[in-house]
Amino acid sequence: MPRRPDPAQQERRRDAIVEAAATLFAEKGYEATTAADIGRAAGLSGPSVFYYFEDKATVFRALFERDVPRLRAVLERESAGDDPVDALLTIVRDLAADVNDPIAPGLVAELVRRAPHDPALAQVVMDADARTQRVLTALVERAVDVGRARPGLPAAVVARWIQIVVDGVALHGGESSDDPWPALRTLVLRFLRAEEKP
């Protein structure tokens, strides 16, 4: 009787493949990384990568898909918070959490290169971006409504610029060992024209 696959072991191997691929894609680039490279780095054979993933593009996409549930949970939790400015700052801090990871800039650069050639990847990114934009916009509106921020630019414009700044930090974050959070916090508060809480 054939052995049934162990789901936990399969998940561990998928995770190992994605982790190994993340480093390789960041260091060598998507095009220069082969399935054999990924398999070797994950402690598997090259062909076995395709037992767990349809192709190399699916492995790359998995790097970004695995963050979707965590991002959704953060956005849902913070959108229900009492203080919209605190919620905005928490979301921004979460979005920028990995910027000092040395592989982050390489992965972001590869994402920018790959998205135009992979509609499924582009959709993952656009969906996450749109969800984040909706929550940030609503929080900016609430911050103005409750007097925690002063009106100025439209809420959607402020939210979009906050995302642009975070994306820029993600692209360049690995170039410095400095903690980007103090500057990000200051920038968000200035976009909102909000006062620091005492």
Side-chain angles (χ1 to χ4, degrees):
M1 183 170 155
R3 290 176 56 195
R4 291 185 176 170
D6 176 359
Q9 184 182 51
Q10 288 188 316
E11 194 58 33
R12 283 192 300 275
R13 286 186 177 162
R14 284 179 61 86
D15 288 343
I17 289 167
V18 171
E19 289 297 323
T23 301
L24 289 167
F25 289 145
E27 292 174 354
K28 295 176 62 171
Y30 176 86
E31 294 299 336
T33 299
T34 66
D37 295 333
I38 296 168
R40 246 190 325 275
L44 305 166
S45 68
S48 66
V49 169
F50 299 123
Y51 175 79
Y52 298 97
F53 292 92
E54 182 181 335
D55 53 23
K56 188 168 73 166
T58 310
V59 176
F60 188 79
R61 205 160 44 243
L63 289 169
F64 301 93
E65 289 171 333
R66 68 182 179 170
D67 280 342
V68 169
R70 183 196 54 75
L71 174 63
R72 185 179 295 128
V74 169
L75 294 174
E76 286 175 4
R77 183 187 72 235
E78 295 305 321
S79 64
D82 292 333
D83 186 316
V85 173
D86 284 350
L88 274 161
L89 291 171
T90 299
I91 291 168
V92 168
R93 188 164 201 160
D94 184 82
L95 291 172
D98 295 330
V99 298
N100 283 335
D101 184 332
I103 70 169
L107 284 178
V108 173
E110 287 304 304
L111 173 62
V112 171
R113 289 187 194 101
R114 285 290 310 146
H117 309 289
D118 184 341
L121 173 63
Q123 193 64 53
V124 168
V125 174
M126 286 188 300
D127 288 348
D129 191 59
R131 183 178 292 114
T132 303
Q133 175 73 11
R134 283 192 302 273
V135 171
L136 292 179
T137 300
L139 288 170
V140 172
E141 289 169 346
R142 277 182 51 208
V144 171
D145 289 346
V146 301
R148 284 281 284 123
R150 292 192 295 278
L153 293 170
V157 173
V158 173
R160 188 69 197 136
W161 275 101
I162 289 170
Q163 280 187 285
I164 289 168
V165 168
V166 174
D167 289 346
V169 170
L171 187 57
H172 298 287
E175 297 171 6
S176 168
S177 61
D178 296 341
D179 179 5
W181 173 238
L184 274 174
R185 178 183 175 81
T186 300
L187 284 168
V188 170
L189 290 171
R190 286 185 181 170
F191 271 132
L192 295 171
R193 302 197 299 168
E195 301 297 328
E196 287 273 8
K197 278 178 100 171

